[in-house]
Amino acid sequence: MFKSYNLYLSAGTLCGGILKLSKYLEPLFRLIVIYNKAQKYRHFDETTLKVFVDIPDKKTKNWWLWQSSTEHSVVFFLNRSRSANVVEDFLKDCNKDTVLITDRYSAYKKAKKKALAFCWVHVRRDFIKIGRSEFYHLSWALRWLKKIGKLFKYNKDRQLNKGDPLKYKAAQAKVEKQLVEIKAAAEYELNTCQSTYYKQRTKVIESLIRHWEGLTLFVNDDNIAMDNNFAERLFRPVATFRKSSYGTHSERFGDITAMLMSIFGTLRLNNIRAREYLKEYFVAAAASSADLDSVVGEFMPWNLPEEKIKRLTYS
């Protein structure tokens, strides 16, 4: 039983209501997916979500909730696999010039003909981890963290001064110079720290060099972020959902969960009041259920008329 507004509702009543509402929300979700796939720049990430169903040859209940997010849209989708095939299937009808901003998980590296921009925050975590592992690594790791911190600062200055050509050029020069210093330091360490004693350090530096091309794509394109924090922030409601419910008990409700998170996440990215928006949408959808597609198009966040923008967005 669930208690809401001093009313007790059975689980069946609540789930049945969600199922009925889902038929009105699915067309909205489909258009969000279409818009999302048409964009050039996207963050891509994945996290676990338990689905408590029995699947032949699957030993655990761990499924994967994938995310594709752009500036104004986010799409979550559930899959029992974490393989590269999931990434390929999603990207096959995306914008042909797609740039993926991701971590260094191998599935993304197998994406065919897609530019990969890797996350500097994950590089930073490598040095934090090794610095905490043994005391004699600490000062070494702190020196590297200082170098990476400067890079983030200079890039932030560059982003803040897009409207001022002179300041932007100066910040751009600092970013480029800092990257040259970081790479030179990395190459020096590879030539001088090959002993077993420094094996952990060598592994981190080798990873930095190996991913260098993807780590530097942001330099010549302001639309490419230095990190994948945008996607990780959008996963926060998923973490809350996992803590409160542990997962879902059917694949169907797993898909509905992903759909609802996509819709609410997209509304949040566009600064839209979810309650007022959905109230107006359901009223319009119920009145035009025979021609729902025509109603849905008018309610896409990027297609809202001016009067609805004033009424439905946060001031």
Side-chain angles (χ1 to χ4, degrees):
M1 298 289 286
F2 296 90
K3 185 178 179 181
S4 178
Y5 295 100
N6 294 320
L7 297 173
Y8 287 91
L9 298 174
S10 69
T13 300
L14 186 61
C15 292
I18 293 174
L19 278 173
K20 287 186 178 180
L21 288 176
S22 68
K23 77 172 186 179
Y24 293 102
L25 293 173
E26 283 168 353
L28 188 63
F29 175 62
R30 284 197 298 269
L31 287 189
I32 290 174
V33 172
I34 291 171
Y35 175 88
N36 183 278
K37 288 189 172 186
Q39 307 310 302
K40 178 178 179 179
Y41 302 96
R42 73 186 64 253
H43 293 258
F44 224 89
D45 208 349
E46 82 292 332
T47 189
T48 55
L49 184 68
K50 291 188 181 296
V51 180
F52 297 98
V53 295
D54 294 323
I55 302 293
D57 301 323
K58 186 168 177 59
K59 297 179 180 179
T60 72
K61 305 300 181 185
N62 286 338
W63 287 43
W64 297 93
L65 187 66
W66 295 81
Q67 177 200 143
S68 168
S69 50
T70 68
E71 183 180 5
H72 296 293
S73 68
V74 57
V75 171
F76 294 99
F77 59 99
L78 192 64
N79 197 288
R80 66 187 66 176
S81 171
R82 198 191 179 202
S83 74
N85 292 333
V86 180
V87 182
E88 278 295 320
D89 287 344
F90 185 88
L91 295 177
K92 64 185 179 184
D93 53 351
C94 285
N95 186 312
K96 62 182 178 65
D97 297 320
T98 288
V99 176
L100 291 184
I101 304 164
T102 73
D103 56 29
R104 296 161 297 178
Y105 177 45
S106 59
Y108 303 124
K109 298 174 187 177
K110 296 177 183 177
K112 297 176 181 176
K113 299 180 181 178
K114 303 299 180 187
L116 294 179
F118 294 121
C119 174
W120 273 95
V121 168
H122 284 78
V123 174
R124 185 175 180 273
R125 289 174 190 169
D126 290 342
F127 291 99
I128 291 174
K129 184 178 180 180
I130 194 173
R132 289 173 174 173
S133 65
E134 297 288 349
F135 181 75
Y136 61 82
H137 289 314
L138 182 58
S139 60
W140 173 85
L142 288 174
R143 287 196 298 272
W144 274 100
L145 291 174
K146 186 176 180 180
K147 296 178 194 295
I148 296 172
K150 284 185 178 180
L151 181 62
F152 271 99
K153 179 184 181 302
Y154 296 152
N155 188 60
K156 184 178 180 180
D157 291 342
R158 186 180 71 144
Q159 296 289 341
L160 291 174
N161 289 296
K162 286 182 180 179
D164 188 326
L166 291 178
K167 289 184 179 180
Y168 179 88
K169 185 177 180 180
Q172 175 77 8
K174 287 182 178 180
V175 168
E176 293 175 359
K177 182 181 177 182
Q178 188 64 18
L179 283 170
V180 169
E181 291 181 5
I182 289 174
K183 189 173 184 182
E187 291 173 343
Y188 174 79
E189 293 220 7
L190 282 182
N191 294 326
T192 58
C193 301
Q194 292 294 339
S195 67
T196 304
Y197 184 76
Y198 292 116
K199 186 175 180 181
Q200 286 178 280
R201 299 185 185 184
T202 301
K203 185 177 180 181
V204 171
I205 298 298
E206 285 177 342
S207 175
L208 174 62
I209 294 296
R210 188 166 61 251
H211 296 95
W212 190 256
E213 182 180 352
L215 287 168
T216 55
L217 280 184
F218 76 94
V219 177
N220 297 313
D221 192 335
D222 290 332
N223 293 301
I224 299 176
M226 267 187 71
D227 55 62
N228 204 26
N229 289 350
F230 183 80
E232 294 192 357
R233 285 192 293 269
L234 289 170
F235 267 137
R236 286 176 184 170
V238 180
T240 303
F241 176 75
R242 280 194 302 236
K243 289 179 181 178
S244 62
S245 66
Y246 301 106
T248 69
H249 288 265
S250 74
E251 185 173 356
R252 171 62 174 150
F253 267 90
D255 290 336
I256 290 176
T257 298
M259 175 181 70
L260 291 174
M261 289 181 175
S262 301
I263 292 170
F264 281 107
T266 298
L267 294 179
R268 186 167 69 252
L269 287 176
N270 290 278
N271 199 36
I272 293 175
R273 300 172 185 266
R275 180 174 294 183
E276 289 80 0
Y277 174 90
L278 289 175
K279 181 179 178 181
E280 287 197 22
Y281 173 72
F282 283 134
V283 169
S288 306
S289 57
D291 188 20
L292 190 56
D293 289 340
S294 63
V295 173
V296 173
E298 298 173 2
F299 275 86
M300 298 311 294
W302 35 88
N303 290 338
L304 289 177
E306 189 64 31
E307 69 274 8
K308 283 188 178 180
I309 291 176
K310 292 180 180 179
R311 189 167 64 250
L312 298 179
T313 57
Y314 291 99
S315 56

